Amino acid sequence: MGEARVIRADRSQLQWDLLDLEGLLPADHRARIVWSFVESLDLSPLYDSIKSREGEAGRPCADPAVLLALWLYATVEGIGSARQLERLAQRDIAYRWLAGNVPLNYHGLADFRVERVEVLDRLLTQSVTALIGEGLVSLADIAVDGTKVRASASKKSFKKSDKLLEIEAAVERRLAALKAELANDLAASSRRSQAARERAAREVKERAARARQALDRLAAERKQREKTHKKDEAKKSEPKASLSDPDAHYMRFPDGAVRPGYNAQIAAAAGEGVIVSMDMTDRRNDAGLAIGMVDDIARRYGRTPDNLLVDTGYATSDNIVALAQHAAGPVTVYAPPPSERDDVKPATLKRRNKKRAREPESVKAWRLRMASEAGKAVYALRGRIERINADRKNHGFGFIGVRGLAKAKAVALWHALANNVIAAHRLRAKAA
């Protein structure tokens, strides 16, 4: 199989209604920017994954560069449906130009979008490293923010533990009946139909098992919270997990509504608007996630940011101390302190001041820093990441149409790359 089985893009023969697509596509069109970005990447891991399938039956594989370019451009334009992308690749000039006469189908497009999380993660690091090397991006000021995105799970799909056990038992009985029918049925067409129903039943059973595992994790988290907030936890109802997407959790969104969702964590160079790290979590809040994001930045680029700009509560006092002593380099945290009441009794104020006096030096320095005009000016740079979040939400990132944390992370990485394609073009044009 290998290289010979890859269908490459051919733009030299592009014709549509006797018109030359190459001539129809403007020189500064975004599709050309995307293709130039893809050509700058090392895509050997994608081609190696095709070579590893040598000898397997099936159609030749579409050129990974074409699939990557199509999905990047689609994400830039706010397209997240494989079926819609397949149609656009047949009808739209820009998408046809990117496809380069490579035959496509929505099954292959859908699989490519979510099956290569590690490769997408590596491409994000690779592309940002190139910008750092060109002097266009700096890790001096990194803004981090969490944003909630809706998951593809309905309210009715959430079940309690006892209901999940009932579903598993019912599916087990159904599987046993199907196997018995399949063994006694000699008609080939009927056997295929029975096998399909058996596969569907097994999938339901697997989802129910994953949902029970999710419930076990939720129960463990609740038990931990009960140690400090016993009364609050006692008021809450029994945990539920989604049968459709066991990784999705109920979360409170900025509009006050509680919906199934994920919590996307985005780190961006505050001055340049380039996303340097992206992760997807099932955490309901962002508290204490600062160290994990800094660790990921250090993993990608071999160093930590000089300054970390985060919202109130994102970095705890313990985080501030740990980041000031980070093994890959000290990190200075810029985050507004939590608001405190001024109209308190003298005894309360005395206890507060006494507690402050015992705080570690790095926490004391943080409080002084955020009270200064210089500190507030640095923190103001964090506003850039709010604009990045809004832009991505306006281009389809508000809803994750795939199921499972790994696939949701793949979609998040596509949005990070899409943001950086445009940001990199803007930065290079400005430098030129």
Side-chain angles (χ1 to χ4, degrees), residues 57 147 199 297 308 346:
T147 184
R199 284 195 301 273
I297 292 170
L308 188 72

Side-chain angles (χ1 to χ4, degrees), residues 190-211:
S190 179
R191 287 174 64 85
R192 284 195 295 271
S193 177
Q194 292 279 49
R197 290 199 294 272
E198 185 179 340
R199 284 195 301 273
R202 280 199 301 270
E203 289 174 2
V204 173
K205 182 181 177 181
E206 290 169 2
R207 289 202 304 270
R210 286 176 54 210

Side-chain angles (χ1 to χ4, degrees), residues 3 18 22 30 53 59 61 74 111 179 181 221 292 295 303 317 329 342 402 424:
E3 291 289 319
L18 302 181
E22 183 67 33
R30 279 186 169 183
R53 293 168 50 196
R59 297 178 179 178
C61 297
D111 291 344
K179 287 178 181 178
E181 292 177 23
E221 292 172 6
D295 287 345
R303 55 156 294 188
S317 295
D342 295 325
V402 297

Side-chain angles (χ1 to χ4, degrees), residues 40 85 118 127 136 177:
S40 72
L85 179 53
E118 296 82 4
S127 58
L136 298 176

